[in-house]
Amino acid sequence: MFSRSRIELKSPEQLSHMAAAGAILSEALDATLAAAAPGVTTSALNDVFAELITARGAKPNFLNYHGFPGYICTSVNDEVVHGIPGERVLKAGDVLKVDGGCIVEGWHSDSARTLILGDSASGTADAEDERLSRITAAAMWRGIAAFAQAKSTGEIGEAIEDYVAAQSGKQLGILEDYVGHGIGSQMHMAPDVFNYSTGMKGARIKPGMALAIEPMLTRGGIETRVLQDDWTVVTSDGSHASQWEHSVARHAEGIWVLTAADGGASELEPLGVTPVPIPTA
């Protein structure tokens, strides 16, 4: 992996390029998830994503990354992250994670969503899978809200863990082997952004910092293994997993969720945070 020793602080102009990449990515994920249905292969979803970002003039950042063969990662059920798109046919009730990114003017975006193919009300999905995805997404937004006011990145992980631990019902596992990261002129940069409390402050947060905040939760344990394709990460106990991710900028006037169409307003304002667009250079 890349050295993550240097934290890159972006200018407003550079953050604007990241916002442009984030807008295209958000649209591409919308289209990709809209195409996901029982009977569809994950390679077909990869094609939808590739066609859209190409049409918008963006470049892929997943394709050929350390040899990765897809434009997106498609991970199903017990596959947590880094699933390779292929001939797998999706079924009703599947827990699908789509993780993607793109580049505009040399600046990266990265975002992931979980989609349940069906719903428990109609008997086509497991209510516990819906709960898993709902809590994972909400935990991500607590982490993003913490980023708005935090002095150090450790506060983000504390907010995520506190929220998950406070939920009633069966406790969910927070993966520790895979974490969030800085993002900017590269997809993966310093600092690491943990999804749990490490007991350490972490990196000091400054204006110009951009982070990919991405909790990964399971319905069981947190142990994982990598399949023989050298990419796909699965839970060791076979439990289903969820991943949600947004790229977020902290600038001189506030935060802006680069990969959300509204900058994160609809999810953050109920948490007391009003996103502020990237200032003009």
Side-chain angles (χ1 to χ4, degrees):
M1 298 295 288
F2 295 114
S3 168
R4 296 185 178 180
S5 58
R6 185 178 68 85
I7 297 177
E8 180 181 74
L9 300 178
K10 272 69 73 173
S11 68
E13 180 181 8
Q14 292 166 336
L15 289 176
S16 294
H17 290 314
M18 293 184 70
I24 294 171
L25 174 55
S26 179
E27 183 183 3
L29 288 176
D30 286 346
T32 303
L33 293 185
V40 174
T41 65
T42 53
S43 65
L45 301 182
N46 186 73
D47 292 345
V48 170
F49 184 92
E51 182 176 349
L52 195 141
I53 69 164
T54 302
R56 297 292 183 269
K59 298 179 180 178
N61 50 6
F62 281 40
L63 184 66
N64 296 324
Y65 178 79
H66 293 266
F68 188 77
Y71 279 71
I72 54 175
C73 298
T74 54
S75 308
V76 182
N77 297 336
D78 62 328
E79 298 171 350
V80 186
V81 288
H82 304 165
I84 299 174
E87 296 311 307
R88 180 168 186 159
V89 178
L90 297 172
K91 304 187 304 294
D94 278 346
V95 182
L96 171 68
K97 283 76 66 178
V98 177
D99 190 356
C102 67
I103 308 169
V104 170
E105 299 292 341
W107 295 92
H108 290 250
S109 61
D110 188 5
S111 181
R113 304 178 193 174
T114 295
L115 177 68
I116 311 293
L117 296 184
D119 63 84
S120 59
S122 63
T124 55
D126 188 328
E128 288 300 309
D129 285 335
E130 294 172 335
R131 173 179 179 267
L132 169 70
S133 179
R134 185 171 60 250
I135 292 175
T136 307
M140 175 194 67
W141 286 110
R142 265 63 178 186
I144 293 172
F147 183 37
Q149 302 294 332
K151 294 182 179 179
S152 61
T153 56
E155 296 174 53
I156 297 170
E158 291 170 2
I160 292 171
E161 180 174 336
D162 287 349
Y163 177 78
V164 174
Q167 301 311 300
S168 59
K170 185 179 179 181
Q171 191 63 44
L172 302 176
I174 303 175
L175 258 62
E176 297 182 359
D177 290 340
Y178 299 90
V179 301
H181 51 87
I183 185 170
S185 59
Q186 299 177 42
M187 182 163 59
H188 292 119
M189 308 182 74
D192 289 331
V193 182
F194 295 95
N195 297 312
Y196 56 95
S197 176
T198 64
M200 302 178 68
K201 288 186 176 180
R204 183 180 176 186
I205 292 174
K206 300 178 180 180
M209 183 180 286
L211 303 177
I213 297 174
E214 54 173 327
M216 287 155 269
L217 271 58
T218 80
R219 288 175 54 183
I222 63 172
E223 297 301 319
T224 61
R225 60 187 176 88
V226 179
L227 298 184
Q228 289 188 339
D229 62 18
D230 286 334
W231 281 104
T232 308
V233 177
V234 301
T235 57
S236 296
D237 60 8
S239 60
H240 288 182
S242 174
Q243 176 200 23
W244 284 84
E245 176 185 21
H246 272 303
S247 298
V248 190
R250 172 93 169 250
H251 55 80
E253 299 178 16
I255 66 165
W256 186 253
V257 182
L258 300 162
T259 47
D262 64 351
S266 61
E267 298 289 343
L268 290 173
E269 288 180 353
L271 302 178
V273 175
T274 300
V276 180
I278 305 300
T280 55

